[in-house]
Amino acid sequence: MRIPGVIFRRVSYYKRRSVFVNRRCGKSAIVVKSDPMHTTIPSTPSSYKSPAINLDDLNPAQYEAVSRTEGPVLVIAGAGSGKTRTLVYRVAHLLEKGVAPENILLLTFTRKSAQEMLWRAGRLLNDSCSRVVGGTFHGTANLLLRRYGSYLGFGSSFTIIDRSDAEGIINLLKSSLGLTGRDLQFPSKRIIINMISGAVNKSMALEDLLFEQYAHLSEHTDDLLRLQQHYQEFKFTHALMDYDDLLVNWKRLLAEVPEARQLIASRYSHIMVDEYQDTNLVQADIVRLLAYDHNNVMVVGDDSQSIYSFRGADFYNIMRFPKTFPDTHIIKLEENYRSTQPILSLTNDIICHASEKYTKTLFTRLEGSRKPLLFAASDERQEARFVTDKISELVADGIRFKDIAVLFRSGFHSYKLEIELASGGVDFEKRGGLKLTEAAHMKDVLSFLRILVNPQDNLSWNRVLLHIDKVGPKTAQKIAAQIGQSPAPFQHLAEFPAGRMWADGLRRLAQLFADLGREESPAAMYELIMIYYQPLFERLYHDDYPKRQKDLEQLQGIISEYADLQTFVDDTTLDPPDAAGSQRAEDSDRMVLSTIHSAKGLEWEAVFVIGLAEGRFPHAKAEPGEQWEEERRLLYVAATRAKKYLYLSYPKELMTPDRQFRRVGMSPFLTELQGGLFERLQEERQTSFMPSPFARSEGLASMKISRSKVAITDLAKGTEVSHSFFGTGVVVVTGSGRTVDVLFDRHGLKTLHLDYAKLTIVTD
């Protein structure tokens, strides 16, 4: 594989570099063999002729960041300060100065970010940006290791495994090493992978991490070290790499192999890194090694938005960058293009109390004088009602649901609110959940494809062999081990001496791989696999296979756009699509409920930050020092998502884990704020959900509806009631406590709780 001088435009989002249009000479010939060294971008129409870029479009700080192209530069980009615009213009400016596009490397944390930046740069300079190298750390590592991995003893056909694959390997090794059993209180596979990955991302020995974070498991140290060693050997033997291996091995290439370092580092004369505050120690070392002979590095980030330490991100990478690269020039982007000044004044005050920071003061020219609002609710139920009522007011004033978000520290903090919104018939999206390819049935199908690109993949062999009736774990492991060591694995499979009970099943599997070997198109391979897998699928997932079938159909649509199987397999691990049927909020008018971690980088017209109580924000176990400071930064990130409306709230009473109620005050981060930065709302009687924006039932205007609070004693069997979303119905059964079963005309039987349902009795 070569590092090309030509990049090709991607035709659709999930073609994943597989089918491209040659744009060098304005041709439209389809090229079926992709070169994955570059992130690809949508093309600008050939007739489009953009003028030379106008740096006068930038503010003074942005201009300095764009025009200072030599030497190390650290750009401290405050929230909403146009960092993406700055990176886009810098790419275009470098090209306009004569830097070859192949010599520019843009590293981001999502491929979508790189695609967007290079597309925008292309709009400034037309086709001249199309050959810039851009992508994620992991994606770039994957491509470089497939070319240069032989220096470290790796072939080019290794398979990338995800988190669940890694946990599966750990389970296999625990069993083979005798580390399972009722009498052995050994850590779970999830905790073990957390330990191993944590040690890698923090660049520390596993033993040190154990005693620092898992002292209660220190009695298992020797076994865990042995397990870690076997895990590494298993991956190497079967040509597997997990996410951490991609970075570690890229760093090893640069640090341990001078020839590879020279080949890779000399390629990139100008390096840019986005979201540098989210890098771990390995990534920081990679950047240092890549730039060892020129130091032309610009990193962009915001120390005040460093909130991912649980993923291994090191806050101090951005703080010590000037020491890592002497003579660093520091530029601060402080003009905000997102929020009004009252919101920025509050967020500036939140972060000014941080113990370590690059001092900056965000300002804006946007109009707006509405101060953030702070509400102290009596409990979580009243807090939920406050939020729903304010949402009702916003919608009545013309704000769309999709422009409203409710943010919280942890997922369970929104449970009361979810009930309240559902009772009002409000459609919302809660961020999170499995990716499409993380589901069990999807992994089944992908295992066949992984084997085709890497016949040494023991984990995938084990999975497909277990599908065969009468083949158990020990037999599957035995067959997989022999196949993986064979120079002709598929022939070995066909000739394996099968047991009488499962010989037919093994023969069918061998025939499948023989048929697959005659196909070149990934789509055709998928069709053959589904003919084989469909009856197994219906047997394995008999309870809900019709629902899961939609996922398989979605995967078929994705793979049909690929011409290269290796690229498809890599993409499903490095950049898996969302689960079938999940619409993002921008595609529908649904409001968003989200953890703050998932909301970083996004923005809304109106933002609610809930649960800002002591013991909850920061969380009760946050210790003074870096943990406490990261919690402060988390609140800063949440508040800076808001454009015009910012609401802060907390309950004055919380339930403890032992189901006792205790009184609490507001978060200490709020008590530090200067007076006058927010308006405090007085505790007031909370009304039920306003019907005008949300009511979806018909014919209510023609009925006389009682507005008094409904008691369980009022709801005898046969009572006609009305609900703001479900419409009218008849009481069927009154349950214990405050629950009632209602048969609604249009929505069928529903069990409702009267504390949340807001039922009213319909009278003639």
Side-chain angles (χ1 to χ4, degrees):
M1 183 178 71
R2 62 184 179 84
I3 299 181
V6 181
I7 187 170
F8 299 104
R9 172 174 71 88
R10 185 167 59 91
V11 178
S12 71
Y13 184 78
Y14 279 116
K15 285 190 172 68
R16 310 291 198 192
R17 314 185 191 94
S18 57
V19 178
F20 301 90
V21 177
N22 188 326
R23 300 180 59 224
R24 185 173 219 179
C25 302
K27 298 177 181 179
S28 58
I30 297 297
V31 181
V32 297
K33 180 62 176 178
S34 69
D35 192 325
M37 275 303 301
H38 300 73
T39 289
T40 52
I41 58 175
S43 69
T44 308
S46 57
S47 60
Y48 176 77
K49 301 295 182 182
S50 62
I53 60 172
N54 183 6
L55 298 187
D56 292 340
D57 294 339
L58 306 171
N59 68 39
Q62 291 173 336
Y63 177 88
E64 185 180 9
V66 168
S67 59
R68 185 177 287 272
T69 58
E70 306 303 310
V73 179
L74 170 60
V75 178
I76 302 299
S81 61
K83 72 175 179 66
T84 300
R85 179 183 178 86
T86 302
L87 284 166
V88 166
Y89 270 76
R90 183 180 169 91
V91 169
H93 181 61
L94 284 169
L95 294 172
E96 199 170 50
K97 282 186 61 177
V99 178
E102 298 88 353
N103 298 143
I104 300 173
L105 175 62
L106 173 62
L107 292 172
T108 64
F109 273 82
T110 68
R111 184 161 57 184
K112 183 178 179 181
S113 295
Q115 289 171 337
E116 179 187 354
M117 289 181 197
L118 296 183
W119 180 79
R120 287 173 58 179
R123 292 298 301 266
L124 293 174
L125 285 180
N126 202 357
D127 289 351
S128 60
C129 294
S130 63
R131 300 193 306 276
V132 171
V133 183
T136 66
F137 276 92
H138 291 88
T140 305
N142 169 48
L143 301 171
L144 291 172
L145 288 169
R146 293 200 185 279
R147 177 171 186 180
Y148 300 108
S150 57
Y151 286 106
L152 301 176
F154 294 100
S156 62
S157 61
F158 60 83
T159 297
I160 304 168
I161 60 174
D162 62 17
R163 173 63 180 250
S164 63
D165 295 328
E167 291 180 358
I169 294 172
I170 290 296
N171 252 3
L172 287 173
L173 295 175
K174 282 174 64 178
S175 177
S176 65
L177 295 173
L179 298 176
T180 57
R182 294 182 180 178
D183 299 329
L184 188 62
Q185 298 299 313
F186 202 69
S188 68
K189 60 183 181 181
R190 179 181 64 84
I191 294 298
I192 293 170
I193 287 296
N194 283 347
M195 294 175 184
I196 294 174
S197 181
V200 172
N201 283 283
K202 294 180 182 295
S203 296
M204 62 194 303
L206 177 60
E207 189 171 8
D208 293 337
L209 182 79
L210 278 170
F211 285 100
E212 181 180 294
Q213 298 184 20
Y214 300 92
H216 61 293
L217 299 174
S218 58
E219 64 180 295
H220 302 296
T221 299
D222 291 341
D223 286 332
L224 287 167
L225 291 174
R226 186 160 59 106
L227 186 57
Q228 180 193 36
Q229 180 182 351
H230 280 266
Y231 176 60
Q232 299 299 340
E233 292 173 353
F234 184 96
K235 289 185 294 180
F236 186 81
T237 300
H238 299 290
L240 306 174
M241 286 194 203
D242 60 26
Y243 294 136
D244 297 329
D245 293 327
L246 292 171
L247 298 182
V248 169
N249 289 325
W250 185 10
K251 177 185 170 181
R252 286 182 58 205
L253 265 180
L254 297 172
E256 300 173 13
V257 186
E259 182 181 354
R261 179 176 65 239
Q262 182 62 32
L263 288 169
I264 297 171
S266 64
R267 183 74 187 187
Y268 307 119
S269 63
H270 291 78
I271 300 167
M272 287 171 280
V273 185
D274 190 20
E275 304 286 10
Y276 192 73
Q277 79 281 347
D278 294 335
T279 56
N280 61 27
L281 287 168
V282 179
Q283 290 165 322
D285 287 342
I286 288 170
V287 173
R288 170 68 271 184
L289 289 164
L290 280 172
Y292 80 100
D293 63 345
H294 57 70
N295 286 347
N296 293 331
V297 179
M298 184 179 87
V299 300
V300 181
D302 184 2
D303 55 298
S304 300
Q305 297 187 66
S306 179
I307 59 173
Y308 294 118
S309 65
F310 66 95
R311 295 180 185 170
D314 191 328
F315 168 76
Y316 292 100
N317 279 349
I318 196 168
M319 302 305 294
R320 60 174 160 253
F321 185 85
K323 293 182 179 179
T324 304
F325 289 87
D327 302 321
T328 291
H329 189 79
I330 301 176
I331 302 170
K332 298 177 183 178
L333 304 185
E334 297 175 291
E335 182 171 357
N336 179 283
Y337 297 93
R338 174 188 299 156
S339 308
T340 60
Q341 191 59 51
I343 292 175
L344 295 180
S345 297
L346 182 138
T347 57
N348 285 335
D349 204 51
I350 290 172
I351 209 64
C352 80
H353 297 280
S355 58
E356 292 186 74
K357 60 184 178 296
Y358 288 102
T359 302
K360 60 182 176 296
T361 303
L362 298 184
F363 67 92
T364 187
R365 303 178 196 184
L366 298 177
E367 295 183 0
S369 59
R370 180 186 177 90
K371 291 183 179 180
L373 301 179
L374 173 66
F375 179 70
S378 59
D379 55 21
E380 289 183 90
R381 184 176 301 163
Q382 189 186 45
E383 182 181 35
R385 290 176 181 171
F386 162 74
V387 172
T388 53
D389 282 352
K390 289 302 176 185
I391 291 172
S392 172
E393 294 175 9
L394 290 169
V395 172
D397 288 340
I399 305 295
R400 296 174 299 178
F401 282 112
K402 64 187 293 184
D403 294 326
I404 302 171
V406 182
L407 308 181
F408 32 84
R409 197 202 170 284
S410 300
F412 70 91
H413 293 170
S414 67
Y415 289 167
K416 290 286 194 303
L417 177 61
E418 291 174 46
I419 294 172
E420 189 74 17
L421 291 171
S423 72
V426 179
D427 196 12
F428 61 86
E429 173 191 0
K430 188 171 183 179
R431 294 288 167 87
L434 284 175
K435 294 290 187 180
L436 177 67
T437 53
E438 292 172 347
H441 56 295
M442 304 301 279
K443 283 189 169 294
D444 289 344
V445 174
L446 291 173
S447 292
F448 296 99
L449 299 169
R450 287 182 171 189
I451 288 170
L452 291 172
V453 297
N454 176 18
Q456 293 178 288
D457 187 346
N458 180 281
L459 195 66
S460 293
W461 273 118
N462 193 67
R463 192 175 194 104
V464 301
L465 288 166
L466 284 173
H467 294 160
I468 300 174
D469 194 24
K470 307 300 181 183
V471 171
K474 290 185 178 180
T475 302
Q477 290 178 34
K478 178 182 176 181
I479 301 171
Q482 293 188 28
I483 291 173
Q485 296 171 5
S486 172
F490 300 115
Q491 181 180 346
H492 191 97
L493 176 68
E495 298 173 355
F496 190 88
R500 182 176 59 85
M501 301 292 290
W502 44 274
D504 286 345
L506 191 67
R507 179 184 55 78
R508 285 194 296 272
L509 180 63
Q511 185 60 50
L512 169 66
F513 280 110
D515 294 340
L516 290 171
R518 291 188 285 270
E519 295 292 345
E520 295 183 1
S521 161
M525 294 176 187
Y526 187 84
E527 290 181 8
L528 287 175
I529 290 169
M530 286 309 302
I531 293 171
Y532 170 87
Y533 178 68
Q534 187 69 36
L536 299 175
F537 166 67
E538 294 179 9
R539 173 172 60 83
L540 292 168
Y541 306 101
H542 63 278
D543 289 340
D544 62 348
Y545 78 84
K547 179 180 178 182
R548 293 173 182 256
Q549 188 77 46
K550 296 177 182 178
D551 296 339
L552 297 174
E553 293 168 0
Q554 183 178 357
L555 188 64
Q556 183 177 21
I558 294 170
I559 196 173
S560 66
E561 298 178 335
Y562 280 80
D564 174 50
L565 185 60
Q566 179 73 70
T567 304
F568 169 76
V569 171
D570 287 349
D571 284 351
T572 55
T573 307
L574 289 172
D575 191 19
D578 289 326
S582 64
Q583 288 180 289
R584 304 301 289 172
E586 58 264 29
D587 298 327
S588 61
D589 193 23
R590 293 190 290 173
M591 62 172 292
V592 170
L593 305 186
S594 175
T595 62
I596 300 169
H597 287 101
S598 297
K600 184 174 174 294
L602 304 176
E603 59 186 36
W604 294 270
E605 292 290 315
V607 170
F608 295 80
V609 188
I610 65 173
L612 293 172
E614 61 176 334
R616 176 166 282 188
F617 207 132
H619 68 84
K621 294 182 180 179
E623 298 179 357
E626 180 51 29
Q627 287 185 352
W628 189 272
E629 291 303 317
E630 182 161 324
E631 293 286 304
R632 183 195 310 280
R633 297 193 293 268
L634 198 61
L635 176 58
Y636 174 83
V637 168
T640 53
R641 302 307 95 199
K643 293 182 180 180
K644 295 181 180 178
Y645 305 90
L646 176 61
Y647 300 88
L648 310 172
S649 65
Y650 69 97
K652 293 190 289 187
E653 184 179 74
L654 287 174
M655 181 183 289
T656 62
D658 59 355
R659 304 190 67 78
Q660 301 296 313
F661 287 95
R662 65 181 179 90
R663 300 288 291 178
V664 295
M666 72 171 70
S667 165
F669 299 141
L670 296 181
T671 62
E672 293 174 342
L673 295 176
Q674 299 178 28
L677 292 177
F678 55 84
E679 179 183 338
R680 188 186 293 269
L681 295 179
Q682 297 300 315
E683 198 171 315
E684 57 188 25
R685 181 180 65 83
Q686 294 296 302
T687 61
S688 62
F689 224 63
M690 293 177 64
S692 55
F694 303 136
R696 305 181 185 183
S697 54
E698 300 174 356
L700 294 183
S702 63
M703 303 180 183
K704 179 182 178 182
I705 302 178
S706 169
R707 297 294 177 185
S708 59
K709 186 174 181 179
V710 176
I712 193 71
T713 53
D714 298 329
L715 297 176
K717 182 178 179 180
T719 304
E720 189 174 9
V721 294
S722 174
H723 183 273
S724 59
F725 175 64
F726 297 125
T728 57
V730 176
V731 173
V732 178
V733 178
T734 55
S736 58
R738 300 271 296 159
T739 63
V740 60
D741 288 355
V742 180
L743 182 62
F744 289 99
D745 297 340
R746 293 186 297 145
H747 292 273
L749 188 65
K750 302 291 180 184
T751 300
L752 305 174
H753 195 292
L754 293 184
D755 287 342
Y756 305 116
K758 307 295 187 299
L759 286 177
T760 52
I761 297 175
V762 178
T763 58
D764 296 331

